[in-house]
Each structure stands twice: as C-alpha cells, then as structure tokens.
Amino acid sequence: MERKINTREKECEEKHSNSEGSEQDKEYKTSLITLNVGGYLYITQKQTLTKYPDSFLEGIINGKIMCPFDADGHYFIDRDGLLFRHILNFLRNGELLLPEGFRENQLLAQEADFFQLKVLSDAVKSRWEKEQLASRETTFLEITDSHDRSQGLRIFCNAPDFIAKIKSRIVLVSKSRLDGFPEEFSVSSNIIQFKYFIKSENGTRLVLKEDNTFVCTLETLKFEAIMTALKCGFRLLTSLDCSKGSIVHSDALHFIK
C-alpha cells in the first residue's frame, strides 16, 4: 500500500515538474520574436525590441502600432534589411558600434529616425559630423634628412588614410633594405627622417610601387606620389612651392578630394 502511494506521489511530482517545464518553454518561446525586415529575418527577444519606450519597435510588439505579417506569420517591416543589424546591435548593446570603414551614416541616421530611436539617431549624426570634420582637416607627411631638412618632400592631403598608405609603403620598403635605399631612419606620426637621405644623383633608387618596381631619385618619388593620388581620385590642388618651375621639383605637394 505504501509503495502504491509513493508511486502515485512520484507520478504527480513528475507531472507537476513536466507541467512547469512546459510552461517555462512556452514562456521562453513567446519571448522570442522574428522580424522580416526587407526580406532579412532577425530573431531576437521581446525585451530587446521593447528596450526604448515609444519607439517604433516597442509600439509594434505591445500592439500600439499595426504591422503587417509575411506569409510565415512574421512581422514584416519594409526597411533596409542589411542596415537593421546595426539597429538591433544598438538595442542589444546600448551603444553605437559600427564596423571599421562604415560609410553609410546618412542611411543609418534615416533608419534610426524611422524606428524612432532618437538616442541612436543623435549618435549616428555625431559620428558623421566628426568624420566630415576630420575629412576637411589637412594631414601631412614629411620625408626628410635629419641633417638637412631642405632635402625632402612634404605631402599634404585632406584624407589621412591616403597619407598613411604612402607612409606605410615607404617604411615597408625602407625596412626591406633594398639597393640604394637608406637603412637608418626614424618614424614619427607625420615625419620619416633618414639619417642620410638619398640625393638626386644617378644610380640612387627609391621604391614605392606596389609591384616593387624601382622608382629612381627623389623627383621620381614626387611624381609617383602624384600618380598614386590621381588614381585614388584626388586632385593636385597646388604645388606649395612652384618657384622651381616644375611640380616634381617643388618641395611640397597638396592633394584634395
């Protein structure tokens, strides 16, 4: 008799446990929301979408805003599906985190406005303004002789990445110690100083091209810098010192996009 009672108690406990488990599973499943944004499916939690009260997504989830469904019963939002990943990441992280080289600030700001996320919209616009300001600031690279600063070249450009490209190339080639290139040099943020800079003499060689073809003399280095800039979409605004009668004989070059 006692065994039967114990068996029944055990069965009741198992049923109760299974019942609690199924309720928890059901509750967990209902907390997951699938959104179809411009043909891209995103699955996230209800609490993520309702993080900001009075936002478009919070309005949809809590029934304040009517939203159509797709054929599979998912909420359908006719917006940029690729950019929505950044909207969702902002809701998850509480801050704006974008991949390096992101250039769609204006589009993302529009998406943030549509989803009524003012905090995100302000963050995107602030980032955009900083990038615009940075792009207008002139960056320079100076290649010079540590003993004779008159021997060298200054390159000015409103795009820091272009300056960095030329700088890294010169440093890379210098470290390889190719024939004719000075081995002893120091590098700071904007200056490459050679202990003994190669003068414009026959037989001296510099290397800049990406295919490792030789570039001869400082004048040719200037010419190569001009050609690289033009290929990258920059224009030569002016030679900062045209007194010598030729661009490749000037001491400085100024590029702008």
Side-chain angles (χ1 to χ4, degrees):
M1 184 71 177
E2 187 176 345
R3 284 184 180 177
K4 289 183 179 180
I5 294 174
N6 289 338
T7 302
R8 287 178 183 176
E9 287 178 351
K10 188 175 180 181
E11 290 175 353
C12 288
E13 286 176 359
E14 287 178 353
K15 287 181 180 178
H16 182 67
S17 177
N18 291 335
S19 176
E20 283 185 346
S22 62
E23 287 296 323
Q24 289 176 352
D25 290 342
K26 186 177 180 181
E27 185 178 345
Y28 178 73
K29 287 178 180 178
T30 55
S31 71
L32 295 179
I33 306 293
T34 301
L35 300 174
N36 181 342
V37 184
Y40 290 80
L41 293 181
Y42 291 90
I43 301 176
T44 186
Q45 295 186 41
K46 180 178 179 181
Q47 63 188 43
T48 301
L49 298 175
T50 57
K51 185 174 183 178
Y52 289 89
D54 300 324
S55 69
F56 181 82
L57 293 169
E58 185 271 337
I60 287 177
I61 301 305
N62 290 329
K64 302 175 187 176
I65 299 174
M66 296 297 293
C67 180
F69 296 90
D70 65 10
D72 296 316
H74 307 313
Y75 290 106
F76 176 76
I77 303 174
D78 190 16
R79 300 300 295 185
D80 192 317
L82 284 174
L83 282 178
F84 186 74
R85 65 181 280 241
H86 305 303
I87 302 288
L88 194 54
N89 281 334
F90 175 78
L91 294 175
R92 290 165 175 161
N93 301 316
E95 61 179 322
L96 180 62
L97 299 171
L98 296 173
E100 185 178 349
F102 183 80
R103 289 291 182 268
E104 297 182 301
N105 293 299
Q106 189 173 4
L107 289 174
L108 184 56
Q110 289 179 347
E111 294 303 296
D113 288 339
F114 173 83
F115 287 103
Q116 299 170 22
L117 294 166
K118 188 177 183 304
V119 179
L120 175 58
S121 179
D122 291 344
V124 175
K125 289 173 183 176
S126 175
R127 181 183 187 273
W128 188 15
E129 288 171 0
K130 288 179 181 178
E131 286 186 354
Q132 291 293 311
L133 181 62
S135 67
R136 290 193 292 268
E137 293 178 351
T138 301
T139 306
F140 77 92
L141 173 65
E142 182 176 320
I143 308 164
T144 185
D145 187 321
S146 58
H147 299 287
D148 183 3
R149 294 188 66 126
S150 65
Q151 291 291 332
L153 170 66
R154 298 191 91 192
I155 300 174
F156 295 82
C157 188
N158 66 337
D161 55 344
F162 173 73
I163 294 293
K165 180 179 180 180
I166 291 184
K167 176 183 173 183
S168 63
R169 185 62 187 162
I170 292 173
V171 171
L172 176 65
V173 170
S174 302
K175 287 182 176 179
S176 68
R177 300 188 177 186
L178 293 171
D179 181 33
F181 211 98
E183 296 179 0
E184 297 184 52
F185 64 97
S186 61
V187 181
S188 67
S189 58
N190 294 97
I191 299 175
I192 300 177
Q193 277 193 337
F194 292 105
K195 187 173 181 180
Y196 299 105
F197 194 80
I198 292 179
K199 306 298 190 298
S200 299
E201 300 172 356
N202 292 331
T204 58
R205 301 190 291 186
L206 300 178
V207 178
L208 185 64
K209 291 184 178 179
E210 301 212 355
D211 59 358
N212 281 343
T213 54
F214 283 109
V215 178
C216 305
T217 76
L218 179 59
E219 282 70 27
T220 314
L221 172 62
K222 296 172 187 178
F223 180 75
E224 187 69 23
I226 293 172
M227 296 305 296
T228 301
L230 294 177
K231 288 178 182 178
C232 292
F234 294 92
R235 60 189 176 91
L236 180 62
L237 182 64
T238 180
S239 169
L240 298 187
D241 180 9
C242 296
S243 61
K244 297 185 180 180
S246 171
I247 291 176
V248 293
H249 290 110
S250 63
D251 298 325
L253 303 170
H254 193 171
F255 302 106
I256 194 169
K257 204 164 209 178

